[in-house]
Amino acid sequence: MSLVAESVSAGYRGRRVLNGVSLTVAAGETVGLRGPSGSGKSTLVRVLALLHTPDAGHVSLDGVRIEGVRHRVPVSVRTRIAVLFQSPRAASDPRLTLADLIAEPLRAVRRPREGIAARVAELADRVGLTADLLTRRPHAVSDGQLQRACLARALAHRPAYLLCDEATTMLDASTQALVASVITAEQRETGLGVLVVSHDPALLSRWADRVVTVAPPRRSDISAPQPT
Amino acid sequence: MADLALSRPRIRPGTPVAALVLGAAVGAVLLVPLLLPLDQSAVALDRTTLPPSPAHPGGTDDLGRDVLHRSIYGLRVSLLVGVVAAVAAALVGGLIGGLAGLLGGWVDRILMRVIDTISALPHLLLGIFIVAMLRPGLGAVILSIGLTHWLSTARIVRSELLSLRTRPFIDAAIAGGAGRTRILTRHLLPHVLPKIALAVTLMIPHAVWHETSLSFLGLGLPPHLASLGNMINDGQRSLLAGAWWSSIVPGAVIVAVTLAIAALAGRWRDHLDPRVRAELNL
């Protein structure tokens, strides 16, 4: 059981960002991913999250090669991989309250209304959001509170894999610790496979089972991840 | 910065004045035809070019017609044309901008070049051409405005959709299982519709001016029917004879009403943006 990027090359409008990168995140493990700015860490996350089409290579989920990205991928497959973005503000629809934000993935797959309310309450409790905060919109809460709501949203479908794209960079130390502890608890409970992208070596050494480094592509260089 | 934000007034002084002006104008347009119906063909040659007085607050024109009474009837036509034409323009613009923004690629490129080409032509000239192609009248004026004023709405809708499509919250919704229809109806349209509604509101003053300009040039309503453009045009003759009110009163009505609509639309635009709303403590 694993989420695998195999020899993935990807870029934007002809500019190559990833060159033949392979990475495996097994169920239940936490993989750290580091590399300098511009090395393609976020692009690799987007490819693994089935949001960006690779120019070459492919993504496999639990041994099955995934064809296509975004809406071309069946909902049952998409919802097995969750993403926690760096900026909770950019990742939140400014019109929705935090409760609606958390409920959105459940509503999108037409879960029964009572089940949604119970699941939202359970997730909010898990990430420490009070009932008062749930009625607020993103502009009325802090980055930390909003990222906790985004984490609750990411866990709504009980995904098999969670990709954290520098998700704790904008948070204070206590919220960082809370986010990490919630993810670790979920991992123990459900066998969640986690990819943590970060510039912070201390965080990666504390949190990740292993760390891989991605280097920026230079001419013909291949940025194959090197275990450290 | 915090002090500056706190010291801003909760309600800007222009807002109640604009609301009062627009309320009075709409009230007059709705009530005057019921209480004081106007015979558009009637003339009274015994009281021509009378200056403003309690009996005729806007004076009379060179055919003895009450200028304020006719201005209110003219405003009724202008507002009707303005609102209908602005809605029509927003529908055309929203549809074309929506197609460009959602489909992107070559569809976007072709539609944007069409918009650039039409933008290069003067609106009024294009409007005159459209009216000249049709039978002059209210329908032709509305069509002329609708077909020349959709460009800005199309650009707004397109750029908004292009920007929204790449935002991480759309990616998060897709990863969460939202289908194309849900993305469109729950995440894209709710952000775009208020902007279209705002574009309609901001377009109404333009449309009113466009109608007035066409009437002034003799391409709008028939000359005997009260329209602000017709009245300003007719009033030119009396200006040289000293009857300034025959042009100034309809001119003042259109300036006051369009400024009031623009001020309220600007206020609404600020209210729609949660960041500005928080900053203004609304």
Side-chain angles (χ1 to χ4, degrees):
Chain A
M1 299 287 272
S2 57
L3 176 65
V4 179
E6 277 182 42
S7 304
V8 165
S9 296
Y12 302 92
R13 295 181 181 222
R15 189 171 63 84
R16 182 58 63 85
V17 179
L18 286 174
N19 211 343
V21 171
S22 296
L23 179 75
T24 300
V25 181
E29 81 165 338
T30 302
V31 178
L33 183 67
R34 70 179 187 193
S37 295
S39 58
K41 302 183 297 295
S42 294
T43 305
L44 182 56
V45 167
R46 288 178 57 78
V47 169
L48 281 168
L50 311 174
L51 293 170
H52 187 88
T53 312
D55 300 330
H58 63 270
V59 174
S60 299
L61 178 66
D62 299 339
V64 179
R65 182 173 166 155
I66 309 294
E67 302 294 342
V69 291
R70 299 169 82 87
H71 290 112
R72 292 201 178 90
V73 181
V75 172
S76 58
V77 174
R78 261 188 277 157
T79 52
R80 299 202 65 213
I81 306 165
V83 196
L84 195 56
F85 293 94
Q86 179 178 5
S87 164
R89 230 155 269 291
S92 307
D93 189 332
R95 293 173 39 260
L96 302 182
T97 62
L98 298 202
D100 288 332
L101 196 77
I102 300 169
E104 179 56 22
L106 303 168
R107 288 183 183 143
V109 297
R110 297 170 191 272
R111 290 272 178 85
R113 193 171 288 182
E114 318 78 62
I116 292 176
R119 180 75 177 139
V120 169
E122 179 196 337
L123 288 162
D125 183 51
R126 186 173 293 196
V127 297
L129 290 174
T130 59
D132 165 53
L133 287 172
L134 289 178
T135 60
R136 297 196 201 168
R137 289 193 164 76
H139 71 270
V141 298
S142 70
D143 280 349
Q145 289 163 337
L146 194 53
Q147 190 65 306
R148 283 190 269 154
C150 290
L151 174 59
R153 174 182 63 182
L155 298 177
H157 283 307
R158 294 192 176 87
Y161 301 93
L162 175 64
L163 314 174
C164 304
D165 185 9
E166 300 195 44
T168 56
T169 309
M170 297 173 76
L171 309 180
D172 60 74
S174 65
T175 313
Q176 271 188 14
L178 180 95
V179 167
S181 72
V182 170
I183 293 173
T184 309
E186 182 77 13
Q187 196 168 31
R188 274 198 298 270
E189 206 175 293
T190 66
L192 184 70
V194 181
L195 177 70
V196 181
V197 178
S198 178
H199 282 291
D200 182 357
L203 176 87
L204 291 179
S205 64
R206 269 201 320 272
W207 193 358
D209 301 321
R210 63 189 174 92
V211 178
V212 295
T213 305
V214 63
R218 280 185 202 145
R219 290 199 296 257
S220 61
D221 290 359
I222 294 175
S223 59
Q226 304 139 14
T228 54
Chain B
M1 284 301 286
D3 288 347
L4 275 177
L6 287 174
S7 66
R8 283 189 199 200
R10 190 177 164 83
I11 295 175
R12 279 167 284 175
T15 309
V17 175
L20 201 68
V21 168
L22 190 61
V26 172
V29 157
L30 293 176
L31 292 177
V32 165
L34 297 176
L35 302 175
L36 291 168
L38 174 73
D39 180 357
Q40 303 250 24
S41 312
V43 293
L45 298 175
D46 55 332
R47 50 181 169 89
T48 58
T49 57
L50 292 178
S53 64
H56 302 286
T60 60
D61 65 8
D62 56 355
L63 293 173
R65 300 173 296 188
D66 188 289
V67 173
L68 186 61
H69 199 184
R70 279 174 62 80
S71 294
I72 291 169
Y73 265 76
L75 181 63
R76 188 170 67 152
V77 174
S78 295
L79 284 180
L80 175 73
V81 171
V83 171
V84 174
V87 170
L91 285 177
V92 175
L95 188 68
I96 292 178
L99 282 175
L102 285 176
L103 299 178
W106 61 268
V107 175
D108 177 38
R109 284 196 289 277
I110 289 174
L111 289 175
M112 287 316 291
R113 292 303 78 76
V114 170
I115 289 173
D116 289 344
T117 308
I118 299 174
S119 298
L121 303 168
H123 278 182
L124 191 58
L125 198 65
L126 195 60
I128 290 170
F129 177 77
I130 292 168
V131 173
M133 292 285 103
L134 304 165
R135 190 182 300 164
L138 212 56
V141 171
I142 290 173
L143 201 65
S144 150
I145 299 169
L147 290 178
T148 53
H149 283 65
W150 58 271
L151 306 166
S152 58
T153 312
R155 282 209 175 97
I156 290 168
V157 170
R158 172 191 176 265
S159 63
E160 189 69 17
L161 285 174
L162 286 178
S163 152
L164 283 169
R165 273 174 53 188
T166 58
R167 297 268 287 275
F169 77 80
I170 298 295
D171 285 341
I174 293 171
R180 284 192 179 88
T181 309
R182 189 171 180 88
I183 295 288
L184 182 66
T185 56
R186 296 296 172 99
H187 297 288
L188 296 177
L189 285 183
H191 286 273
V192 174
L193 284 178
K195 293 205 162 59
I196 295 179
L198 181 62
V200 169
T201 321
L202 288 168
M203 211 188 301
I204 291 171
H206 287 278
V208 170
W209 276 108
H210 197 99
E211 182 276 324
T212 308
S213 306
L214 287 174
S215 294
F216 179 81
L217 293 169
L219 292 164
L221 293 181
H224 72 283
L225 290 182
S227 112
L228 293 174
N230 281 347
M231 292 180 69
I232 295 170
N233 191 8
D234 292 345
Q236 286 183 108
R237 294 192 301 269
S238 314
L239 266 181
L240 295 174
W244 51 267
W245 53 88
S246 47
S247 274
I248 294 293
V249 170
V253 167
I254 189 173
V255 168
V257 170
T258 51
L259 280 180
I261 295 173
L264 290 174
R267 174 73 174 70
W268 185 33
R269 177 190 54 210
D270 292 346
H271 188 76
L272 285 177
D273 187 335
R275 280 166 299 191
V276 175
R277 197 165 57 198
E279 194 183 326
L280 293 176
N281 193 24
L282 296 173

